[in-house]
């Protein structure tokens, strides 16, 4: 049973924008915090942003706070990550994830397969 499915990755230039989507199973969307993590080549996976679907409260890591926006659509169980002013250091596989307290650094219970974002200089 597929729980989280990401889409929207691609190859862009520095300064461009890209929007990622994550469709979640309904029970996950309504039971857990859903967020995004990323893993750059040769580096560990890191937290990017998260959202509580109830109330739309959002959380961000400091490195993306002013450039990325996470949002959710509870009619389609979809979480988005709008990424603006992209930099080469944003190049990574972006993973959708869900779990309790992931906005407070807890490990997610569910992971998507990831979508690759490449930012060229």
């Amino acid at each position: 049973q597929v729980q989280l499915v990401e889409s929207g990755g691609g190859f862009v230039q520095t300064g461009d924008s890209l929007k990622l989507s994550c469709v979640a199973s309904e029970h996950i969307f309504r039971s857990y915090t859903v967020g995004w993590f990323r893993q750059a080549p040769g580096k560990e996976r890191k937290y990017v942003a998260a959202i509580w679907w109830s109330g739309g409260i959002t959380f961000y890591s400091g490195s993306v706070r002013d450039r990325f926006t996470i949002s959710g659509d509870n009619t389609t169980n979809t979480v988005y990550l709008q990424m603006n002013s992209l930099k080469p250091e944003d190049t990574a596989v972006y993973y959708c994830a869900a779990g309790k307290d992931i906005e407070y650094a807890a490990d997610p219970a569910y992971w998507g397969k990831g979508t690759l974002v490449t930012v060229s200089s």
Side-chain angles (χ1 to χ4, degrees):
Q1 182 180 0
V2 177
Q3 312 274 21
L4 298 165
V5 180
E6 306 97 332
S7 63
F11 184 95
V12 296
Q13 302 292 324
T14 296
D16 285 351
S17 298
L18 204 59
K19 188 173 186 177
L20 307 182
S21 300
C22 172
V23 180
S25 300
E26 183 166 355
H27 80 278
I28 287 180
F29 190 83
R30 300 190 183 282
S31 301
Y32 298 102
T33 302
V34 181
W36 292 92
F37 289 68
R38 67 184 181 184
Q39 186 167 20
K43 297 188 177 180
E44 64 181 19
R45 192 153 46 186
K46 293 186 175 181
Y47 163 78
V48 175
I51 186 169
W52 292 353
W53 79 268
S54 176
I57 298 174
T58 57
F59 306 84
Y60 298 93
S61 73
S63 63
V64 305
R65 185 179 305 277
D66 296 329
R67 299 184 295 121
F68 291 9
T69 302
I70 189 171
S71 61
D73 182 346
N74 58 15
T75 65
T76 60
N77 301 333
T78 303
V79 174
Y80 302 100
L81 185 68
Q82 175 67 47
M83 305 184 293
N84 298 328
S85 301
L86 283 162
K87 306 174 182 179
E89 51 263 43
D90 295 317
T91 295
V93 177
Y94 284 72
Y95 295 90
C96 185
K100 296 291 188 183
D101 297 328
I102 62 172
E103 68 275 28
Y104 303 124
D107 289 335
Y110 300 93
W111 291 95
K113 293 184 177 181
T115 185
L116 177 63
V117 173
T118 303
V119 185
S120 172
S121 58

